[in-house]
Amino acid sequence: MGKCEYCGVTVSGRDTCPLCGRKVRGGTQNAMYPACRTDNREMPEKKRPCWPTLVTLLAVGVCAWINLMTRGSSGGYWCLDIAAIFAYLWVLVLHTVKSKTRGSLKLMLQACLIIAMLCVFDWNAGRGLWSVNFAIPFACIGLVFLATYIVMTRKLSWSEYIGYMVAVVLFGQMPVMGILLGFTHFVWPSFAAAGYAVFTFLMMLLFANGRYKGERTRRFRF
């Protein structure tokens, strides 16, 4: 037991006075729980199986060998289509499914991979430019719709909400780049994708709930 010199009270079971908070002469603090032993042994890291990598390399290698052996003088490199599909599946599993990155960044990476894969398919199919004329604009419309569905059905923080707004704007600008570079001949799908993205962005900006509007006003002053 201890005694506080300032308050004149006797304190038991602690080393500070409950009234003034000063140290008590002769006081001891009793532990509420007994000390437990901790295991400092390091857990061995779980090794990832290497057979998916071997299967991917084997499949792409066999397809490339068959393609080169049977290509002829006017044949295409269809093995690049197989390689693009495997690359997309790897990114889909490792980054989109297993990664803890923000959903908006995952969606933007998916958009870039889909556009690249469609361009590879178009190039191997004879460079008909169907990818920039139709496939990419409609794919961007689908991605904008997916972003809208995620925003409407999930509880998001203000940063994630703004991330999806930025993703919607980028999805609308991707088809327009084909028009500016001169690759797109049928412009109405690209303008439709851009218009849908702008409309969705404005709706997300106007109809955000009070929490998002408060954060937007506080951080961006508008």
Side-chain angles (χ1 to χ4, degrees):
M1 297 180 64
K3 185 175 182 181
C4 180
E5 298 178 352
Y6 298 91
C7 302
V9 296
T10 303
V11 181
S12 176
R14 54 189 302 167
D15 56 355
T16 58
C17 177
L19 301 178
C20 62
R22 294 184 174 90
K23 290 286 185 178
V24 176
R25 176 180 295 181
T28 57
Q29 185 175 8
N30 296 332
M32 296 181 63
Y33 300 97
C36 60
R37 295 184 301 174
T38 57
D39 191 1
N40 296 326
R41 292 180 300 176
E42 295 183 358
M43 296 296 294
E45 295 183 0
K46 187 177 180 180
K47 295 183 179 180
R48 295 181 179 179
C50 60
W51 64 266
T53 305
L54 296 178
V55 170
T56 302
L57 294 177
L58 181 62
V60 174
V62 170
C63 291
W65 182 78
I66 296 175
N67 187 189
L68 294 176
M69 292 295 103
T70 60
R71 177 174 175 267
S73 59
S74 60
Y77 295 98
W78 54 266
C79 62
L80 296 178
D81 297 344
I82 306 298
I85 293 174
F86 273 104
Y88 176 77
L89 292 176
W90 271 98
V91 176
L92 179 66
V93 173
L94 295 180
H95 186 268
T96 306
V97 178
K98 294 186 175 182
S99 176
K100 296 182 179 179
T101 313
R102 292 182 179 180
S104 57
L105 297 178
K106 292 181 179 181
L107 198 60
M108 285 188 278
L109 180 60
Q110 286 291 314
C112 295
L113 290 175
I114 290 173
I115 290 174
M117 190 165 54
L118 290 174
C119 291
V120 171
F121 293 165
D122 190 6
W123 184 77
N124 279 330
R127 301 174 184 86
L129 298 180
W130 54 264
S131 60
V132 293
N133 286 326
F134 300 103
I136 293 177
F138 285 112
C140 290
I141 291 176
L143 291 169
V144 172
F145 179 80
L146 179 60
T148 307
Y149 176 79
I150 293 174
V151 169
M152 293 179 63
T153 56
R154 294 185 181 180
K155 293 182 178 180
L156 305 173
S157 63
W158 70 270
S159 58
E160 292 176 337
Y161 191 83
I162 293 177
Y164 280 106
M165 293 176 67
V166 174
V168 166
V169 174
L170 292 178
F171 296 158
Q173 300 303 317
M174 287 179 181
V176 180
M177 294 300 297
I179 299 176
L180 298 178
L181 295 176
F183 296 133
T184 304
H185 303 296
F186 296 93
V187 297
W188 66 266
S190 299
F191 282 125
Y196 179 56
V198 171
F199 175 77
T200 304
F201 176 80
L202 293 177
M203 292 300 103
M204 293 173 67
L205 191 66
L206 294 176
F207 293 100
N209 59 30
R211 181 163 58 91
Y212 296 138
K213 288 182 179 180
E215 289 290 342
R216 184 187 64 198
T217 303
R218 184 170 64 87
R219 294 178 179 271
F220 299 102
R221 301 295 188 272
F222 82 97

